[in-house]
Amino acid sequence: MNKDIIIFGVGKIADVIQFYMREESQLPVKAFTVDAKYIAGTEFNGLPVVAFEDIEKNYPPEKYAMFIAIGYHDLNAVRAQKMKAAEEKGYEIISYIHPDSSVPSDLIIGKNCFIMNNVCIHPRVTLGDDVFVWSGTIIGHHSKIGNHNWLTSGTNISGNVTIGNKCFFAINSTLGHSITIGNDVFVGANALITKNVEDGKVVIKESDKPIKLTSKQFLKFSGFSNL
């Protein structure tokens, strides 16, 4: 990749993406862009912020590539829309893989994917376009992840799992072996899924209820402080 980089977004996700690209991988990030109505200042993290409507005037697609660094709004649909809009302007959409992640040589990966550090991906895995994989995630062998998905830190995907498009998996969610997850599925924190899930479903684990003992009573009776 011999083009400089523009990041779409000026929020916390864009901040994180820029850190990894510039500080961890020395990639040439040169500017940020968002829709004109969301511009609050002319700079972000020391770089210019340019209206997306006019981005190609000073940052032409012949010289610049783009990464769409916005969150999982509307189950990733907003990010998908902006990715399409950038491609329609002629921009190459890049992906980012942190150099410290465990990624096999045969990984098939699409555009606008983000793989953070400390991710473990087994052989024979396919990631579609626009898949965000946060630290601590494991993706098992022969699994296929569709387009526009968000895997929060600690997501555990067993082998031979198939995931559709525009899904969200919260922290420490776990998927059993050889199951299929449909499109537009929301999986909450710590949820365990061992059977197929249809399109549009929500799977949430009830939050653990506090026990009646205070923390000081618990430490006294459990002997935890003696360990």
PDB file of all heavy atoms in Angstrom, residues 74 76-86 148 166:
ATOM      1  N   ASP A  74     -26.572   1.401  14.755  1.00  0.00           N
ATOM      2  CA  ASP A  74     -27.544   0.661  13.929  1.00  0.00           C
ATOM      3  C   ASP A  74     -26.978  -0.679  13.490  1.00  0.00           C
ATOM      4  O   ASP A  74     -27.118  -1.086  12.328  1.00  0.00           O
ATOM      5  CB  ASP A  74     -27.975   1.486  12.716  1.00  0.00           C
ATOM      6  CG  ASP A  74     -28.747   2.728  13.101  1.00  0.00           C
ATOM      7  OD1 ASP A  74     -29.320   2.764  14.208  1.00  0.00           O
ATOM      8  OD2 ASP A  74     -28.773   3.682  12.296  1.00  0.00           O
ATOM      9  N   ASN A  76     -23.929  -1.609  12.975  1.00  0.00           N
ATOM     10  CA  ASN A  76     -22.880  -1.424  11.969  1.00  0.00           C
ATOM     11  C   ASN A  76     -23.371  -0.910  10.626  1.00  0.00           C
ATOM     12  O   ASN A  76     -22.578  -0.772   9.686  1.00  0.00           O
ATOM     13  CB  ASN A  76     -22.097  -2.728  11.750  1.00  0.00           C
ATOM     14  CG  ASN A  76     -21.577  -3.328  13.037  1.00  0.00           C
ATOM     15  OD1 ASN A  76     -20.718  -2.772  13.694  1.00  0.00           O
ATOM     16  ND2 ASN A  76     -22.118  -4.481  13.411  1.00  0.00           N
ATOM     17  N   ALA A  77     -24.658  -0.609  10.523  1.00  0.00           N
ATOM     18  CA  ALA A  77     -25.204  -0.179   9.231  1.00  0.00           C
ATOM     19  C   ALA A  77     -24.653   1.184   8.801  1.00  0.00           C
ATOM     20  O   ALA A  77     -24.421   1.426   7.611  1.00  0.00           O
ATOM     21  CB  ALA A  77     -26.727  -0.132   9.292  1.00  0.00           C
ATOM     22  N   VAL A  78     -24.439   2.084   9.768  1.00  0.00           N
ATOM     23  CA  VAL A  78     -23.923   3.410   9.424  1.00  0.00           C
ATOM     24  C   VAL A  78     -22.515   3.296   8.848  1.00  0.00           C
ATOM     25  O   VAL A  78     -22.172   3.936   7.847  1.00  0.00           O
ATOM     26  CB  VAL A  78     -23.932   4.335  10.655  1.00  0.00           C
ATOM     27  CG1 VAL A  78     -23.270   5.675  10.323  1.00  0.00           C
ATOM     28  CG2 VAL A  78     -25.361   4.562  11.129  1.00  0.00           C
ATOM     29  N   ARG A  79     -21.694   2.465   9.466  1.00  0.00           N
ATOM     30  CA  ARG A  79     -20.338   2.269   8.950  1.00  0.00           C
ATOM     31  C   ARG A  79     -20.364   1.660   7.550  1.00  0.00           C
ATOM     32  O   ARG A  79     -19.578   2.033   6.676  1.00  0.00           O
ATOM     33  CB  ARG A  79     -19.530   1.384   9.901  1.00  0.00           C
ATOM     34  CG  ARG A  79     -18.027   1.500   9.730  1.00  0.00           C
ATOM     35  CD  ARG A  79     -17.253   0.775  10.811  1.00  0.00           C
ATOM     36  NE  ARG A  79     -17.456  -0.659  10.796  1.00  0.00           N
ATOM     37  CZ  ARG A  79     -18.200  -1.322  11.667  1.00  0.00           C
ATOM     38  NH1 ARG A  79     -18.842  -0.671  12.630  1.00  0.00           N
ATOM     39  NH2 ARG A  79     -18.327  -2.631  11.587  1.00  0.00           N
ATOM     40  N   ALA A  80     -21.286   0.748   7.332  1.00  0.00           N
ATOM     41  CA  ALA A  80     -21.426   0.154   6.004  1.00  0.00           C
ATOM     42  C   ALA A  80     -21.806   1.204   4.963  1.00  0.00           C
ATOM     43  O   ALA A  80     -21.284   1.204   3.837  1.00  0.00           O
ATOM     44  CB  ALA A  80     -22.470  -0.962   6.043  1.00  0.00           C
ATOM     45  N   GLN A  81     -22.697   2.104   5.337  1.00  0.00           N
ATOM     46  CA  GLN A  81     -23.121   3.160   4.414  1.00  0.00           C
ATOM     47  C   GLN A  81     -21.962   4.084   4.062  1.00  0.00           C
ATOM     48  O   GLN A  81     -21.785   4.464   2.898  1.00  0.00           O
ATOM     49  CB  GLN A  81     -24.259   3.963   5.041  1.00  0.00           C
ATOM     50  CG  GLN A  81     -25.560   3.180   5.204  1.00  0.00           C
ATOM     51  CD  GLN A  81     -26.547   3.890   6.119  1.00  0.00           C
ATOM     52  OE1 GLN A  81     -26.299   5.017   6.567  1.00  0.00           O
ATOM     53  NE2 GLN A  81     -27.666   3.241   6.406  1.00  0.00           N
ATOM     54  N   LYS A  82     -21.159   4.456   5.044  1.00  0.00           N
ATOM     55  CA  LYS A  82     -20.036   5.361   4.789  1.00  0.00           C
ATOM     56  C   LYS A  82     -18.950   4.674   3.975  1.00  0.00           C
ATOM     57  O   LYS A  82     -18.280   5.307   3.150  1.00  0.00           O
ATOM     58  CB  LYS A  82     -19.465   5.890   6.104  1.00  0.00           C
ATOM     59  CG  LYS A  82     -20.452   6.740   6.892  1.00  0.00           C
ATOM     60  CD  LYS A  82     -21.034   7.872   6.040  1.00  0.00           C
ATOM     61  CE  LYS A  82     -22.045   8.687   6.801  1.00  0.00           C
ATOM     62  NZ  LYS A  82     -22.675   9.729   5.942  1.00  0.00           N
ATOM     63  N   MET A  83     -18.770   3.401   4.188  1.00  0.00           N
ATOM     64  CA  MET A  83     -17.813   2.648   3.380  1.00  0.00           C
ATOM     65  C   MET A  83     -18.239   2.642   1.912  1.00  0.00           C
ATOM     66  O   MET A  83     -17.421   2.879   1.009  1.00  0.00           O
ATOM     67  CB  MET A  83     -17.708   1.221   3.916  1.00  0.00           C
ATOM     68  CG  MET A  83     -16.763   0.331   3.140  1.00  0.00           C
ATOM     69  SD  MET A  83     -16.688  -1.329   3.875  1.00  0.00           S
ATOM     70  CE  MET A  83     -15.879  -2.223   2.535  1.00  0.00           C
ATOM     71  N   LYS A  84     -19.518   2.420   1.674  1.00  0.00           N
ATOM     72  CA  LYS A  84     -20.033   2.437   0.306  1.00  0.00           C
ATOM     73  C   LYS A  84     -19.868   3.812  -0.323  1.00  0.00           C
ATOM     74  O   LYS A  84     -19.467   3.940  -1.494  1.00  0.00           O
ATOM     75  CB  LYS A  84     -21.509   2.024   0.302  1.00  0.00           C
ATOM     76  CG  LYS A  84     -22.136   2.015  -1.085  1.00  0.00           C
ATOM     77  CD  LYS A  84     -23.601   1.608  -1.021  1.00  0.00           C
ATOM     78  CE  LYS A  84     -24.241   1.652  -2.415  1.00  0.00           C
ATOM     79  NZ  LYS A  84     -25.686   1.304  -2.357  1.00  0.00           N
ATOM     80  N   ALA A  85     -20.152   4.869   0.458  1.00  0.00           N
ATOM     81  CA  ALA A  85     -20.037   6.229  -0.063  1.00  0.00           C
ATOM     82  C   ALA A  85     -18.590   6.558  -0.426  1.00  0.00           C
ATOM     83  O   ALA A  85     -18.325   7.222  -1.440  1.00  0.00           O
ATOM     84  CB  ALA A  85     -20.560   7.223   0.965  1.00  0.00           C
ATOM     85  N   ALA A  86     -17.638   6.114   0.386  1.00  0.00           N
ATOM     86  CA  ALA A  86     -16.225   6.356   0.094  1.00  0.00           C
ATOM     87  C   ALA A  86     -15.791   5.616  -1.169  1.00  0.00           C
ATOM     88  O   ALA A  86     -15.043   6.158  -1.996  1.00  0.00           O
ATOM     89  CB  ALA A  86     -15.369   5.940   1.279  1.00  0.00           C
ATOM     90  N   HIS A 148     -19.541  -6.461   7.911  1.00  0.00           N
ATOM     91  CA  HIS A 148     -20.004  -5.407   8.836  1.00  0.00           C
ATOM     92  C   HIS A 148     -20.358  -5.968  10.216  1.00  0.00           C
ATOM     93  O   HIS A 148     -21.448  -5.758  10.745  1.00  0.00           O
ATOM     94  CB  HIS A 148     -21.216  -4.672   8.246  1.00  0.00           C
ATOM     95  CG  HIS A 148     -21.031  -4.274   6.806  1.00  0.00           C
ATOM     96  ND1 HIS A 148     -20.047  -3.415   6.388  1.00  0.00           N
ATOM     97  CD2 HIS A 148     -21.703  -4.657   5.692  1.00  0.00           C
ATOM     98  CE1 HIS A 148     -20.130  -3.272   5.070  1.00  0.00           C
ATOM     99  NE2 HIS A 148     -21.117  -4.014   4.623  1.00  0.00           N
ATOM    100  N   LYS A 166     -23.768  -7.793   9.786  1.00  0.00           N
ATOM    101  CA  LYS A 166     -24.241  -6.741  10.684  1.00  0.00           C
ATOM    102  C   LYS A 166     -24.663  -7.290  12.048  1.00  0.00           C
ATOM    103  O   LYS A 166     -25.768  -7.038  12.529  1.00  0.00           O
ATOM    104  CB  LYS A 166     -25.381  -5.955  10.038  1.00  0.00           C
ATOM    105  CG  LYS A 166     -24.955  -5.216   8.775  1.00  0.00           C
ATOM    106  CD  LYS A 166     -26.118  -4.478   8.127  1.00  0.00           C
ATOM    107  CE  LYS A 166     -25.664  -3.789   6.843  1.00  0.00           C
ATOM    108  NZ  LYS A 166     -26.782  -3.166   6.111  1.00  0.00           N
TER     109      LYS A 166
END
